Amino acid sequence: MSFILYLIVGGIIGWLAGLIMGRDIPGGIIGNIIAGIVGAWLGGAIFGNWGPHIAGMAIIPALIGAIILVFVLSFILRIARKASK
């Protein structure tokens, strides 16, 4: 059950990061979940595990990490689109 909650929280964090950045995450809901989980790992590695925790994720560092991930991913995709034209 905790794994399902982890996926739900990861999806919400990825979705919030996309809303904050104003950019869509490729892959829809699966992309949101992946961005949230990878963002939680990235944020925990950079900022530590402080703040409130849900399903084993520190929410604030996870959100910051997901925002960084969305920014980097959208930057890479923009460069790839320009290179293919």
Side-chain angles (χ1 to χ4, degrees), residues 18-74:
L19 282 178
I20 290 170
M21 291 299 296
R23 298 185 174 132
D24 290 332
I25 299 172
I29 192 156
I30 302 298
N32 284 341
I33 292 171
I34 292 170
I37 292 171
V38 173
W41 174 79
L42 181 67
I46 294 172
F47 302 110
N49 290 324
W50 51 274
H53 288 70
I54 298 177
M57 282 189 213
I59 299 301
I60 297 170
L63 184 59
I64 294 170
I67 289 170
I68 292 169
L69 180 69
V70 168
F71 176 75
V72 169
L73 186 61
S74 65

Side-chain angles (χ1 to χ4, degrees), residues 23-26 73-85:
R23 298 185 174 132
D24 290 332
I25 299 172
L73 186 61
S74 65
F75 181 73
I76 290 171
L77 290 175
R78 186 177 316 138
I79 290 173
R81 278 189 221 126
K82 286 182 181 180
S84 67
K85 288 185 179 181

